[in-house]
Amino acid sequence: MLASHSVPKSRFDFARRTRVAVLGSTGSIGTAALELIEAHSERFELVGIAAGSNAQTLSEQAGRYRPRRIALASAPPSDSLQLLHQQAAAIKADLEFGVTAVDQLASEPGVDLVIAAISGSAGLSSTFAALESGKIVALANKESLVCAGELAAKILEQGRAVLLPVDSEHSAIFQALQGERPADISRILLTASGGPFLDLPLAEFASITPERALKHPRWKMGPKVTIDSATMMNKALEVIEAFWLFGVTPLCIDVLVHPQSIVHSLVEFKDGSQIAQLSNPDMHGPIGFALSYPFGRLNRAMSRLNLLEVGQLQFRPLDDAKFPYVGMARSVLKAGGSMPMVFNAANEVAVERFLKGSLGFDRIRSIIEESLGHFSGLCYTSLRELIAQERQVREFAAALSAGSRREL
């Protein structure tokens, strides 16, 4: 089990605030984390922020939150980039560029806790830099465990780094397990909103446009995560993540469709009882729980849930014919090696092409399946090797995507 059940309080210096670095600060998770850090400045000190390429938002955040270090992975020439330089100079912050700069912030000796919220496989390098340097890592980048769970396990077995889940579903499970014995877990139930196409017939999937797919009924998220919710790939990735975090077999991880997104997940125990975590659909809650763990919950992290207003909570089984990726996730876990990475990388490429309008929504699945078939049996021994393999998978999936558009 990788998710920590206890963070030794000796890890903290009670004479000062917890020092935090937010990776992926311009995304929805990073933005919410910065709001919480600002609202509880008596407990947290923001050391640094990092983003992929959004120089304008990063500049605005630098001016508001005044971190000591700023990192931008990709820095194309632009007016916003010049503004970022000016803002960094005004607040006397160190400004660095490139993936290495983000990794260095993740492993900064003056940081206690790293919020790893860079979306997709782009977040692997910095997440592992934080783990290898022995940080407490609040993980919102599920791809780190999906692609390289075996490597993460080896690092965490050394006992220096600590991993805390931030995804709402895995945070719910983590909260439900407080005070429980891992040996007593019978089953994990991941809940899914069902996305915008829960009731749309499969025959109409070919006509789905990016504009329709980006209209999630419950959550406000980035484009890639929103499309993954529409295809239910997000649940497949969460099954793989839960496998590594909580030490249960894939067959003991089920998915339950819950359109209201109030019950964020459940744990069933061997005595037949179930414990669920409920709250309004607001990522401030799980982020706040990880930030403050093990010192108790943050006050007013999110609005109170009123079950009388909610009225009814509905649950439905997952339609495997329309949303096949959960079953595929169990298969790639069984295959092991690099196959979960292939699964994720092919999906990232297909989603990117769909968002650009060059791939049909219904073709995302075939790109993933053909990639898995082509790279069957692929294995890795290091993060560097895995990243190199991922480039090959992305190139293959991109070529498939281009070919599929010509066929159409």
Side-chain angles (χ1 to χ4, degrees):
M1 181 174 290
L2 300 189
S4 175
H5 276 270
S6 63
V7 178
K9 293 186 178 181
S10 59
R11 292 287 303 257
F12 299 91
D13 182 346
F14 290 93
R16 59 168 171 77
R17 298 171 292 169
T18 300
R19 301 169 299 184
V20 184
V22 181
L23 313 182
S25 66
T26 59
S28 58
I29 299 293
T31 300
L34 291 175
E35 291 169 355
L36 285 168
I37 292 168
E38 180 183 49
H40 298 273
S41 58
E42 77 285 355
R43 294 184 60 175
F44 306 109
E45 175 189 355
L46 181 65
V47 174
I49 56 177
S53 60
N54 192 339
Q56 180 173 342
T57 301
L58 195 64
S59 175
E60 294 168 358
Q61 290 178 339
R64 175 173 176 175
Y65 300 109
R66 305 180 72 85
R68 298 199 304 269
R69 294 190 61 176
I70 306 168
L72 189 66
S74 177
S78 66
D79 293 340
S80 59
L81 188 59
Q82 182 179 0
L83 182 62
L84 180 60
H85 276 286
Q86 294 171 348
Q87 190 63 263
I91 64 173
K92 297 181 172 58
D94 293 331
L95 174 61
E96 297 180 344
F97 299 97
V99 173
T100 301
V102 180
D103 293 352
Q104 288 173 344
L105 176 57
S107 56
E108 163 66 43
V111 168
D112 303 308
L113 186 149
V114 173
I115 295 179
I118 295 175
S119 179
S121 60
L124 261 70
S125 179
S126 55
T127 299
F128 275 88
L131 290 173
E132 288 169 351
S133 61
K135 305 298 184 192
I136 300 170
V137 178
L139 185 69
N141 173 264
K142 62 174 63 70
E143 289 80 6
S144 294
L145 292 185
V146 169
C147 298
E150 291 181 23
L151 285 180
K154 290 178 181 178
I155 294 170
L156 288 161
E157 283 171 3
Q158 297 171 10
R160 294 190 304 117
V162 173
L163 194 63
L164 302 172
V166 167
D167 278 347
S168 61
E169 296 81 2
H170 300 93
S171 176
I173 296 163
F174 185 55
Q175 293 179 53
L177 288 175
Q178 297 302 304
E180 302 289 346
R181 298 191 314 158
D184 288 337
I185 301 172
S186 172
R187 190 168 55 132
I188 284 173
L189 293 159
L190 295 167
T191 54
S193 70
F197 308 124
L198 179 61
D199 296 312
L200 188 73
L202 180 59
E204 297 182 28
F205 273 31
S207 64
I208 292 173
T209 63
E211 291 74 22
R212 287 180 67 192
L214 287 170
K215 294 179 180 178
H216 194 279
R218 293 287 173 183
W219 295 95
K220 183 179 181 181
M221 306 172 289
K224 194 269 180 184
V225 179
T226 305
I227 300 304
D228 280 352
S229 180
T231 63
M232 294 265 207
M233 171 58 88
N234 65 330
K235 289 304 126 182
L237 300 180
E238 287 168 14
V239 166
I240 299 175
E241 187 180 7
F243 166 77
W244 288 109
L245 283 172
F246 304 113
V248 296
T249 66
L251 291 177
C252 292
I253 306 171
D254 290 332
V255 173
L256 196 61
V257 176
H258 170 50
Q260 290 82 17
S261 296
I262 296 297
V263 177
H264 295 294
S265 279
L266 310 91
V267 178
E268 182 177 277
F269 296 93
K270 65 183 183 182
D271 65 355
S273 64
Q274 295 184 355
I275 295 179
Q277 186 268 327
L278 287 72
S279 67
N280 286 316
D282 184 342
M283 284 306 298
H284 288 79
I287 296 167
F289 190 82
L291 269 174
S292 61
Y293 189 81
F295 294 102
R297 299 172 186 269
L298 295 180
N299 192 28
R300 299 185 301 277
M302 55 184 169
S303 62
R304 293 182 183 274
L305 174 65
N306 188 329
L307 287 174
L308 292 176
E309 291 181 357
V310 174
Q312 292 185 335
L313 299 176
Q314 300 169 324
F315 300 93
R316 297 162 56 173
L318 180 68
D319 186 336
D320 292 316
K322 286 171 61 175
F323 306 108
Y325 297 125
V326 168
M328 292 170 68
R330 295 192 179 103
S331 296
V332 299
L333 271 175
K334 183 177 180 180
S338 302
M339 299 314 294
M341 176 275 292
V342 176
F343 184 56
N344 177 75
N347 175 66
E348 285 193 11
V349 171
V351 168
E352 180 182 345
R353 295 306 174 96
F354 167 68
L355 285 168
K356 291 180 179 178
S358 59
L359 184 74
F361 186 85
D362 60 326
R363 283 285 291 152
I364 294 175
R365 174 180 179 176
S366 61
I367 298 301
I368 297 169
E369 290 177 330
E370 291 178 54
S371 298
L372 287 170
H374 183 79
F375 291 99
S376 177
L378 191 65
C379 294
Y380 70 98
T381 58
S382 68
L383 185 63
R384 177 175 293 186
E385 183 180 14
L386 184 71
I387 290 173
Q389 291 174 355
E390 200 225 20
R391 285 196 291 268
Q392 297 175 11
V393 176
R394 294 180 75 89
E395 289 171 1
F396 179 81
L400 281 179
S401 300
S404 72
R405 175 50 58 183
R406 286 195 294 270
E407 291 169 9
L408 291 174

